């Protein structure tokens, strides 16, 4: 594959830099402190075509490939991990699930609203007692004529409070049966469907995370995505693509931390010269740069396979696992380079550090990625 940036990628990178300078940087720490989810930013991103990056133009989207999508997430995450995370979750999970598995009527109804950010999307798989063990979910949907009655809850759901529509995977069969779960599109305002507790998080604080609660929520059978029993299989395929998103998010955070450390190391003087000239700092920066380069290559390799319609379960796990761990290491090193100032909120390193950790947890922990990789290579 050609690793040089194409015209669309260059345009997106330039557009996001300008947008970020005007609309994100001035308030990102304010949002972080207050845990405010800045809906107005995402409405503007929708106007720029970045909330429907992969959605075909016939449904109101930009019609780009995963290559442009990765670039968009990286550039946003360099500025603010929270904004990058929410943009990625909206695109690859809720919108992506409907795009991949919705029928024509569902696509025409929901994709134009999601692609323009008229509506914000949420996606629900995780529950309080079932994180990595998604097959053991407790939330159930019981058929009642033309409707399904849903009871239970989902937690750690991005946009659970603000989202206008959610795709949720619930149990319609036996617990632990991979064909015993189904996916539904549920609109906010549906009786029996509400949001719950908002999480008070270490990082990614401007990306809203909360519970979804179902109390005898009646959903028409036409809101099911695909057929009954296909929900878990759909979710695993959605997560294959979602892992590319988190890899891109990780690369962006790592780049942001690295670039801030480079800048500081050239400005900060000790013993009569910039600290960048000391071998200890230079070698640390060299390691950071090398790991970022490797993470980015793995991410674009997975994106390239996704574009070509090739199986990329292993490659997506490679990228997600490696890039997320790199984000943590690089942001940790950035804090160290900043020294005492790296531990304060007056400098950017500490936020990259806090934001990076989520990347090793969300959409499959590092341990789950190693499980996926080991199974793939031992087949």
């Amino acid at each position: 594959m050609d690793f040089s940036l194409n015209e669309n990628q260059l345009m997106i990178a330039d557009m996001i830099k300008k947008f970020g300078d005007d609309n994100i940087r001035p308030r990102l720490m304010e949002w972080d402190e207050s845990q405010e989810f800045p809906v107005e930013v995402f409405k503007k991103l929708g106007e720029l075509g970045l909330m429907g990056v992969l959605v075909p133009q016939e449904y109101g989207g930009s019609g780009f490939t995963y290559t442009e999508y990765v670039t968009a997430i990286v550039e946003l995450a360099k500025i603010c991990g929270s904004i990058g995370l929410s943009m990625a979750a909206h695109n690859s999970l809720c919108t992506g699930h409907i795009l991949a598995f919705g029928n024509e009527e569902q696509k025409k109804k929901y994709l134009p609203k999601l692609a323009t950010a008229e509506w914000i999307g949420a996606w629900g798989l995780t529950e309080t007692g079932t994180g990595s063990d998604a097959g053991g979910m407790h939330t159930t949907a019981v058929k009642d004529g033309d409707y399904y009655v849903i009871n239970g809850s989902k937690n750690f759901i991005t946009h659970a409070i603000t989202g206008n529509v959610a795709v949720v995977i619930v149990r319609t069969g036996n617990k632990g049966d991979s064909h015993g779960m189904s996916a539904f599109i549920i609109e906010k305002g549906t009786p029996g469907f509400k949001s719950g507790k908002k999480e008070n998080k270490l990082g990614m604080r401007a990306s809203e995370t909360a519970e979804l609660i179902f109390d005898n929520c009646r959903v028409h059978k036409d809101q099911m995505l695909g057929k009954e029993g296909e929900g878990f299989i759909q979710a695993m395929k959605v997560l294959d693509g979602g892992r590319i998103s988190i890899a891109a998010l990780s690369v962006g955070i790592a780049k942001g931390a690295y670039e801030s450390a480079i800048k500081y190391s050239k400005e900060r003087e000790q013993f009569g010269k910039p600290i960048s000239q000391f071998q200890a700092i230079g070698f640390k920066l060299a390691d950071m740069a090398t790991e970022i380069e490797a993470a980015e290559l793995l991410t674009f390799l997975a994106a390239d396979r996704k574009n070509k319609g090739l199986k990329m379960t292993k490659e997506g796990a490679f990228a997600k696992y490696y890039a997320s761990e790199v984000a943590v290491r690089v942001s940790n090193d950035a804090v160290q380079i900043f020294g005492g100032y790296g531990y304060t909120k007056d400098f950017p390193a500490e936020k990259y550090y806090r934001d990076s950790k989520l990347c090793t947890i969300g959409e499959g922990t590092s341990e789950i990625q190693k499980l996926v990789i080991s199974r793939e290579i031992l087949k």
Side-chain angles (χ1 to χ4, degrees), residues 63-85:
F64 286 136
T65 71
Y66 259 78
T67 304
E68 288 84 10
Y69 180 44
V70 165
T71 297
I73 297 172
V74 168
E75 294 301 320
L76 280 172
K78 278 169 62 176
I79 302 167
C80 177
S82 294
I83 304 300
L85 173 62

Side-chain angles (χ1 to χ4, degrees), residues 18-321:
K18 292 175 181 174
F19 178 84
D21 288 343
D22 293 339
N23 298 279
I24 301 174
R25 289 192 192 279
R27 297 188 63 193
L28 65 85
M29 287 309 295
E30 174 190 334
W31 298 327
D32 183 80
E33 290 287 334
S34 66
Q35 289 207 107
E36 178 186 346
F37 177 62
V39 180
E40 69 280 1
V41 168
F42 295 94
K43 299 293 185 182
K44 291 176 181 177
L45 287 174
E47 293 172 8
L48 296 176
L50 293 174
M51 296 297 274
V53 180
L54 302 167
V55 176
Q57 292 180 1
E58 63 186 286
Y59 301 117
S62 297
F64 286 136
T65 71
Y66 259 78
T67 304
E68 288 84 10
Y69 180 44
V70 165
T71 297
I73 297 172
V74 168
E75 294 301 320
L76 280 172
K78 278 169 62 176
I79 302 167
C80 177
S82 294
I83 304 300
L85 173 62
S86 275
M87 176 270 198
H90 174 94
N91 273 280
S92 70
L93 298 180
C94 180
T95 306
H97 199 141
I98 296 172
L99 177 61
F101 299 104
N103 57 39
E104 193 61 25
E105 184 178 344
Q106 290 167 337
K107 289 179 182 179
K108 287 181 177 177
K109 181 177 181 181
Y110 292 107
L111 291 180
K113 292 181 179 180
L114 289 165
T116 57
E118 178 185 345
W119 280 14
I120 301 295
W123 191 78
L125 177 65
T126 301
E127 297 183 5
T128 301
T130 60
S132 298
D133 180 22
M137 67 176 60
H138 304 291
T139 302
T140 58
V142 178
K143 203 164 192 299
D144 180 21
D146 287 341
Y147 287 81
Y148 284 82
V149 181
I150 302 177
N151 282 286
S153 64
K154 299 288 179 179
N155 78 331
F156 297 131
I157 307 305
T158 306
H159 310 148
I161 297 170
T162 304
N164 305 93
V165 63
V167 172
V168 296
I169 296 88
V170 297
R171 187 158 57 81
T172 49
N174 295 324
K175 186 177 289 189
D177 179 5
S178 62
H179 295 282
M181 288 161 275
S182 305
F184 292 88
I185 307 170
I186 310 179
E187 296 180 23
K188 185 63 65 70
T190 301
F193 177 44
K194 64 180 182 179
S195 55
K197 176 195 172 191
K198 182 176 180 178
E199 302 295 341
N200 186 9
K201 299 178 297 182
L202 169 72
M204 300 292 194
R205 290 171 58 82
S207 179
E208 178 184 279
T209 307
E211 288 180 307
L212 290 175
I213 299 170
F214 307 90
D215 182 10
N216 290 319
C217 177
R218 292 176 63 83
V219 180
H220 196 272
K221 63 181 181 180
D222 290 346
Q223 295 299 103
M224 182 182 287
L225 283 157
K227 297 177 182 177
E228 183 174 311
E230 294 180 345
F232 185 73
I233 307 302
Q234 292 175 6
M236 293 304 101
K237 291 179 179 177
V238 168
L239 286 173
D240 268 355
R243 285 169 184 153
I244 298 175
S245 302
I246 302 300
L249 182 70
S250 303
V251 170
I253 291 171
K255 281 190 171 186
Y258 166 73
E259 290 174 7
S260 68
I262 282 273
K263 183 175 183 293
Y264 181 79
S265 72
K266 291 178 178 179
E267 296 169 350
R268 171 71 165 170
E269 290 193 1
Q270 292 286 272
F271 306 103
K273 59 183 178 180
I275 63 171
S276 60
Q277 293 184 21
F278 289 98
Q279 193 177 72
I281 302 299
F283 278 13
K284 197 179 289 289
L285 291 167
D287 285 339
M288 294 160 77
T290 303
E291 290 198 314
I292 290 170
E293 190 78 8
E296 191 166 31
L297 289 171
L298 281 173
T299 304
F300 276 109
L301 173 63
D304 184 58
R305 290 185 67 84
K306 181 73 173 175
N307 287 339
K308 292 173 178 174
L310 301 173
K311 188 173 187 296
M312 41 65 65
T313 301
K314 180 180 67 176
E315 289 76 11
F318 276 160
K320 199 276 185 187
Y321 167 52

